[in-house]
Amino acid sequence: MATKAELLEELEDLRAKLAETRKTKTSPGAETGEPPDDDPPNGDEPMSQLGDLETLWPEISEELERFQQRYPRLTIVGAFAAGFLLGRTSK
């Protein structure tokens, strides 16, 4: 078992490493040496995310089917809650 002195020494080492890491990572491009990208994203990004969604949709639907089989009661409660919320917001 470690002694108190050993633990305090290790704690000081970790604090020093943390302080060093914080100094080197002052900006987003610090680790690569590049300047930070301050430009706002262009309008093409949502379309690329839509393409990602299309490729991930089969995996998402399979996971939902497995969830429904594992937790049928929770699925019923969730469907009821979603329907209730949609009904309340559409009034």
Side-chain angles (χ1 to χ4, degrees):
M1 184 163 207
T3 64
K4 184 177 179 179
E6 292 172 337
L7 292 175
L8 288 174
E9 182 181 335
E10 183 179 357
L11 181 61
E12 288 302 318
D13 289 340
L14 291 173
R15 284 183 179 159
K17 287 179 184 178
L18 179 61
E20 182 180 327
T21 303
R22 285 183 179 164
K23 287 179 186 176
T24 59
K25 292 189 177 182
T26 57
S27 66
E31 59 272 353
T32 60
E34 298 175 1
D37 185 20
D38 293 334
D39 295 332
N42 57 12
D44 295 338
E45 190 165 326
M47 295 308 289
S48 67
Q49 290 177 354
L50 183 61
D52 293 341
L53 180 63
E54 289 175 351
T55 57
L56 290 175
W57 185 252
E59 184 179 334
I60 293 170
S61 63
E62 287 177 13
E63 184 64 32
L64 288 174
E65 287 177 16
R66 284 192 297 255
F67 184 82
Q68 179 184 3
Q69 291 171 356
R70 279 186 268 157
Y71 306 105
R73 291 183 186 145
L74 188 58
T75 304
I76 292 170
V77 171
F80 175 77
F84 181 79
L85 289 175
L86 285 173
R88 295 298 293 174
T89 57
S90 67
K91 276 190 171 183

